[in-house]
Amino acid sequence: MARLPAVLGTDDLPLAELCAARIDGELFAIDEGWAPIDEPDLPSLRAAVVALRVSRSLIIERLSAAWVHDALDAAPRTAQFCVPHRSRIAAIADRRITVREVVLTDDEVVELGGVRCTTPARTAFDLLRETSLPDADSVDVVARLLAPRPRLADQVRERLDRAQRMPHRARALVRLDHAVAAAALIAAGSIQPSLTR
């Protein structure tokens, strides 16, 4: 018997069968996918869930990548993807996803179970500069990325320091300082992460 993938969608089984398996306690719903009840909640599972939204190979980024890296409690409603600027793609008309072209190096992407996602460092770098994200939300998410990764703050600060002419750099550095302080409190167990998207 062929093994089913760790994350199922309606391309794998009809919705009625997925719902019946959930009622029987065999599957649980996760974002827009379904997974066996005994499947560990790992970054590779979360990446596979986000990848269900697109039929092509895109790179998971920003808040979606933060969820993959366990810095958000729930996947964002709009999945965020990117492609390197040298890999231009046609526009995708789907309100459930956004895709942007970015300058990205190979070491800023990690492969999780065959799905590409920005690294925690690149994810933090992007979220610190994200103007559509309120400062408090950016700081909360980045703090949750930093807390279990002691050297990540230095990597992100170094990346920001190298980008002297980058838009929103000063704001990103202030956000990073606040995120480092919040991450220290999270790591010490003094506060619980507050963002539950």
Side-chain angles (χ1 to χ4, degrees):
M1 176 184 241
R3 176 160 162 65
L4 289 172
V7 177
L8 301 170
T10 53
D11 289 343
D12 300 302
L13 293 171
L15 181 59
E17 286 186 42
L18 293 168
C19 290
R22 184 186 57 79
I23 291 169
D24 290 343
E26 297 172 5
L27 297 178
F28 67 95
I30 180 169
D31 192 39
E32 294 191 8
W34 306 78
I37 199 73
D38 61 349
E39 190 69 35
D41 186 9
L42 299 173
S44 56
L45 174 75
R46 290 177 179 219
V49 168
V50 176
L52 284 175
R53 294 194 188 202
V54 291
S55 60
R56 54 185 93 173
S57 178
L58 302 175
I59 300 167
I60 301 167
E61 67 154 1
R62 294 181 290 163
L63 288 175
S64 293
W67 180 66
V68 167
H69 295 303
D70 201 25
L72 284 176
D73 294 330
R77 290 182 187 190
T78 302
Q80 297 173 320
F81 297 93
C82 67
V83 294
H85 73 289
R86 64 187 177 273
S87 305
R88 298 186 182 274
I89 63 165
I92 299 175
D94 186 339
R95 284 194 252 165
R96 300 172 312 133
I97 66 169
T98 62
V99 181
R100 65 184 188 140
E101 294 176 0
V102 297
V103 175
L104 194 66
T105 61
D106 290 340
D107 64 340
E108 294 177 311
V109 178
V110 63
E111 190 167 309
L112 302 165
V115 179
R116 295 180 303 163
C117 181
T118 56
T119 62
R122 177 59 195 235
T123 301
F125 176 78
D126 288 338
L127 292 174
L128 289 169
R129 297 179 315 124
E130 182 63 51
T131 58
S132 66
L133 198 60
D135 288 345
D137 290 354
S138 172
V139 167
D140 283 348
V141 176
V142 173
R144 287 183 63 177
L145 280 168
L146 299 177
R149 301 169 180 92
R151 286 176 273 188
L152 185 60
D154 292 335
Q155 293 171 359
V156 175
R157 189 174 306 281
E158 182 181 302
R159 175 77 164 85
L160 287 168
D161 288 344
R162 285 195 318 255
Q164 292 295 319
R165 301 173 100 175
M166 178 184 71
H168 313 293
R169 181 177 172 273
R171 183 179 187 184
L173 286 167
V174 170
R175 284 177 167 185
L176 178 59
D177 289 339
H178 292 296
V180 167
L185 293 173
I186 292 169
S190 299
I191 63 168
Q192 295 295 315
S194 63
L195 194 62
T196 55
R197 288 189 183 268

